Amino acid sequence: MAGLSSGTANPTRQKGTMVDMENDRTPSNTFREQGPGQTAARLGHPRRFLEVVDSTNSEAWRWLEQGAPEGAVVVANSQTQGRGRQGRRWESGSGQGLWLSVILRPRLDPAQRGWIGAMAALAVLQALEDLWRMGGGPGAGSGGGQDTLRRLAARGPCNAQFSGASFLTLKWPNDVLAGGRKIAGILAEQKSVPGQGDTPVVLGIGINIRQRPEDFPPALRDAATSLRQCLGHDVPLPLVEERLLVRLGEQYGRLQDGRVEELRRCYCRHLSTLGQYVQLVPAAPVPGAAPELGSLPLRGRAEDVDLLGRLVIRQESGEAVAVSAGDVHTVSDASSAMPQRLASEESRQPGQAAPGPGLQALQEWLEARPAPIRLVALDLDGTALDPQSRPTPALVAAVQALRRCGVRVVLATGRSLAATSAFAWDIRPDQPLILLNGAVIYDLPSGRPLVLHHLPLELSREIIRLGVELGLHPFVRQNFFQGDGIVTEASLPWSQRHHGYFAGFSSFGRIPGLADQLPGPPLKILFLEPEEDIRRLQEELQRRSWPLEVLVYGEPGRETWGLEVFPAGVSKGSGLAFVAQLFGLHPEQVAALGDDTNDMAMLQWAGLGIAMGNAGLQVREVADFVAPANNEDGAAQILQVLLSVCRKAS
């Protein structure tokens, strides 16, 4: 697996101040028992900190050659020659991130060593998950924060039920992404050191923590992010280091115990690469390939990661190739496009559904593809509901028949729980429900939310102030547990448009000075205004580069447009990714049906994205297939096709 390389470290040591050096040359027992058959490594002792260093990996190699023990760690405030995979430069400014290298002396065979980089990436992701659960705010490392850490330790090493799970993903082989942007990287190096037995490994980890968008070079601003950008505030560096070393110790212990299959399953649950059509440039010739082709880019569907940590790619020829190292990028899949993919605008009029024969073509395509659909996500309004906002008997029957065939069906809606419950009882989908466009994942039978994505409090206040300055009403959904309640700013003039919106809620209030009175972080902030005002607000939000997900919906000529603000990375797509992870499914095993702009992320994430015939042009363009409209019971027709495919395969 990429990220574990052999080579010589840079022998030049950077001048700088060394602090807290070698505070314990003899670590107490490197491993500790975690449970029956489980071991966790104690990492982080001794610890060497430098203000400035050429590279923490280079410093770790120098220290290792002097006899540093396993578990020793080098931390630097900044690196002048930080490096990543394949010789790339890693931007590591002073105090902007955690720049750390750990010395390992693994007792592993060569095949298992291929998992070290992936193991580290999984540990980084889980450490960031911990910070999401804790809120990551100032003071999180003391008082209540310590109680939180104890609760985290009891949850086990691979638990994804929290608010950051669907936002944080892995990209093969060992990149950690937040909202699709790189937040952390891994560089694992190994080489023999005379007289030191097993080949040691220096594991370099860089986590972006405090950078603002302008801190990254222009070429990286759209590709990289930081913890501050994701959470909206700073996180103490010692807390990040503490969580990282704990999680790294757990995963390293799992690898040392030989629990590779367990590690592989946990890694794959977070791997966004799987199910995607990719192009991979191998770092070395592919075994078995012709010499003239062995290092050329490979294109195909990323199907799996094998027990050696290699990415398995199914090429267009049908041949599967396993690659141990290289650069992988998602590309469009022209060769396996849907048979009724959206036609060009010259041949399709807005609102026109796919022709009738398209459903038969869809069924034939589904029957031929290797990955069967095992999960279907249904939008409600405009999709599962007819124009009178009711589920049809045909749709309800199709949902139940699919479930009996072993295909899960979930609802994904912008509605709240109160506005969804009645439909859930009528349709009887699988659980959990994806609510508020992915901000809430809720298990109806147990009556508890699995995920609550809140906007950071201070950032929410800034958004409210901006809206008020522009003369726009911010509607704030404050607390999930307050049911269908919502509040807004009292100082602005009231309109019939706003009164009509409020009339649909069980409780509402107008509060003067709402930004200052906001008691806690809200789930979302909504604006309902004419298109011109919504566009103006959208531009202002984009100009500020706040870590937000901004959803705009409306149609030309419509009097009222909407703009919803959620935490960065929150969407129906992220909600569906979380639910799929709960069921152990990859995107290729998931279908999604929707009709509006808030469905686009879900349609793009799923292996099969289906737009309704009543969907707008923007939505149909991102879909794989255009179904009949909701006034033709199009969703029920699609479910019947999926049911036929399922029954044939059974």
Side-chain angles (χ1 to χ4, degrees):
M1 173 165 288
L4 184 62
S5 60
S6 302
T8 345
N10 185 343
T12 307
R13 181 167 182 169
Q14 178 71 25
K15 294 181 180 180
T17 306
M18 185 173 292
V19 183
D20 190 23
M21 180 178 173
E22 305 175 29
N23 47 17
D24 182 4
R25 292 290 302 217
T26 310
S28 61
N29 193 6
T30 307
F31 291 88
R32 66 180 186 276
E33 288 301 316
Q34 196 176 26
Q38 298 182 357
T39 305
R42 296 183 186 274
L43 305 177
H45 299 285
R47 179 180 185 272
R48 176 177 286 186
F49 176 82
L50 298 102
E51 279 292 335
V52 182
V53 72
D54 52 353
S55 157
T56 57
N57 265 28
S58 297
E59 179 65 21
W61 280 115
R62 291 188 286 264
W63 194 9
L64 192 148
E65 290 167 357
Q66 298 167 9
E70 178 165 66
V73 62
V74 176
V75 184
N77 199 36
S78 67
Q79 300 180 106
T80 60
Q81 300 175 34
R83 60 185 185 270
R85 293 175 49 243
Q86 301 190 22
R88 297 187 180 97
R89 176 180 174 83
W90 183 270
E91 297 294 331
S92 41
S94 178
Q96 291 187 327
L98 180 62
W99 323 126
L100 172 150
S101 295
V102 183
I103 293 173
L104 302 177
R105 300 179 182 274
R107 303 180 301 277
L108 302 170
D109 60 40
Q112 292 174 323
R113 281 176 174 258
W115 276 100
I116 290 177
M119 171 273 297
L122 179 60
V124 171
L125 181 143
Q126 292 174 335
L128 295 177
E129 287 180 351
D130 291 349
L131 296 168
W132 247 264
R133 292 190 185 102
M134 298 167 65
S142 61
Q146 291 301 320
D147 293 336
T148 303
L149 293 179
R150 285 192 287 272
R151 290 196 299 272
L152 293 176
R155 294 189 182 189
C158 194
N159 187 313
Q161 296 188 14
F162 77 107
S163 62
S166 54
F167 183 55
L168 293 164
T169 57
L170 299 175
K171 176 188 172 187
W172 188 88
N174 48 30
D175 284 346
V176 184
L177 309 181
R181 297 182 178 187
K182 188 167 180 176
I183 195 171
I186 314 294
L187 176 63
E189 299 175 319
Q190 65 174 350
K191 66 175 182 176
S192 298
V193 177
Q196 297 206 20
D198 291 334
T199 301
V201 172
V202 169
L203 185 61
I205 299 174
I207 304 177
N208 299 328
I209 297 177
R210 292 177 173 167
Q211 293 95 333
R212 300 179 186 275
E214 59 269 22
D215 294 326
F216 291 110
L220 296 180
R221 287 174 189 169
D222 290 335
T225 189
S226 69
L227 205 51
R228 168 189 270 175
Q229 291 182 62
C230 295
L231 293 177
H233 52 70
D234 278 337
V235 180
L237 293 179
L239 178 61
V240 182
E241 182 180 345
E242 177 187 8
R243 294 316 304 158
L244 171 62
L245 292 174
V246 168
R247 289 300 192 177
L248 187 60
E250 291 172 354
Q251 296 303 334
Y252 184 49
R254 172 185 278 179
L255 187 58
Q256 291 279 66
D257 286 344
R259 294 181 285 143
V260 177
E261 173 57 22
E262 181 182 322
L263 174 64
R264 188 193 72 84
R265 289 198 305 269
C266 192
Y267 172 76
C268 287
R269 280 204 292 273
H270 295 281
L271 194 62
S272 62
T273 311
L274 293 183
Q276 301 296 313
Y277 195 81
V278 300
Q279 176 171 296
L280 186 142
V281 180
V286 178
E292 66 275 14
L293 299 176
S295 296
L296 293 178
L298 301 171
R299 291 173 67 95
R301 189 78 61 185
E303 281 194 343
D304 201 359
V305 175
D306 65 16
L307 282 173
L308 300 180
R310 301 177 302 181
L311 183 65
V312 179
I313 297 176
R314 180 75 58 181
Q315 299 182 94
E316 295 173 0
S317 64
E319 179 186 3
V321 177
V323 184
S324 59
D327 276 341
V328 63
H329 302 283
T330 301
V331 295
S332 60
D333 181 4
S335 65
S336 61
M338 294 293 302
Q340 289 293 323
R341 192 155 185 97
L342 189 66
S344 68
E345 291 316 305
E346 290 76 19
S347 62
R348 183 181 297 281
Q349 298 300 316
Q352 179 184 348
L359 292 174
Q360 180 61 38
L362 172 63
Q363 180 168 335
E364 292 171 357
W365 181 84
L366 286 168
E367 289 172 352
R369 72 199 295 263
I373 297 297
R374 288 288 175 258
L375 172 64
V376 179
L378 281 176
D379 167 55
L380 278 178
D381 298 278
T383 301
L385 305 183
D386 65 16
Q388 288 73 45
S389 295
R390 298 173 303 192
T392 67
L395 180 124
V396 173
V399 168
Q400 297 312 307
L402 263 180
R403 294 183 64 197
R404 288 193 295 272
C405 196
V407 178
R408 300 178 189 269
V409 182
V410 298
L411 300 182
T413 177
R415 291 172 175 255
S416 66
L417 175 63
T420 304
S421 296
F423 297 117
W425 291 118
D426 289 341
I427 298 171
R428 301 191 303 282
D430 289 281
Q431 298 296 311
L433 303 172
I434 302 171
L435 305 172
L436 293 179
N437 290 322
V440 177
I441 312 292
Y442 189 83
D443 181 62
L444 197 58
S446 67
R448 68 183 184 92
L450 304 182
V451 168
L452 292 173
H453 290 280
H454 288 94
L455 283 159
L457 179 57
E458 289 304 319
L459 184 55
S460 300
R461 289 174 171 159
E462 290 298 320
I463 296 167
I464 293 169
R465 291 187 185 106
L466 173 61
V468 172
E469 288 173 8
L470 296 175
L472 310 179
H473 278 83
F475 292 85
V476 180
R477 183 175 291 279
Q478 178 58 39
N479 191 319
F480 177 81
F481 298 100
Q482 291 173 349
D484 230 2
I486 200 161
V487 294
T488 191
E489 170 61 45
S491 64
L492 297 174
W494 199 239
S495 72
Q496 188 60 37
R497 176 191 306 112
H498 302 128
H499 177 77
Y501 179 71
F502 255 178
F505 288 87
S506 58
S507 64
F508 60 87
R510 298 178 64 195
I511 301 174
L514 176 60
D516 296 326
Q517 299 300 321
L518 202 63
L523 287 165
K524 78 169 183 179
I525 300 174
L526 166 68
F527 295 86
L528 293 169
E529 306 290 349
E531 178 183 1
E532 180 182 350
D533 292 332
I534 290 296
R535 294 298 187 193
R536 185 160 49 102
L537 175 60
Q538 182 183 21
E539 290 174 4
E540 288 295 326
L541 290 171
Q542 291 173 342
R543 187 171 64 82
R544 284 163 171 76
S545 299
W546 286 333
L548 301 171
E549 202 71 36
V550 177
L551 177 64
V552 174
Y553 49 90
E555 296 175 359
R558 183 189 289 182
E559 180 183 354
T560 301
W561 281 47
L563 184 148
E564 291 184 335
V565 181
F566 295 97
V570 173
S571 67
K572 285 191 183 182
S574 68
L576 182 55
F578 177 87
V579 172
Q581 286 178 359
L582 290 182
F583 298 143
L585 299 175
H586 302 311
E588 279 301 293
Q589 299 169 285
V590 181
L593 285 76
D595 73 299
D596 212 338
T597 51
N598 63 333
D599 299 313
M600 290 171 61
M602 174 172 78
L603 301 187
Q604 291 173 302
W605 183 88
L608 174 58
I610 300 174
M612 301 297 293
N614 49 289
L617 177 61
Q618 187 180 9
V619 181
R620 299 201 313 271
E621 283 182 330
V622 304
D624 298 307
F625 188 85
V626 181
N630 69 328
N631 62 3
E632 303 173 67
D633 222 353
Q637 293 188 52
I638 293 294
L639 297 184
Q640 286 290 347
V641 169
L642 294 173
L643 179 61
S644 297
V645 174
C646 181
R647 285 174 171 168
K648 282 189 176 182
S650 298

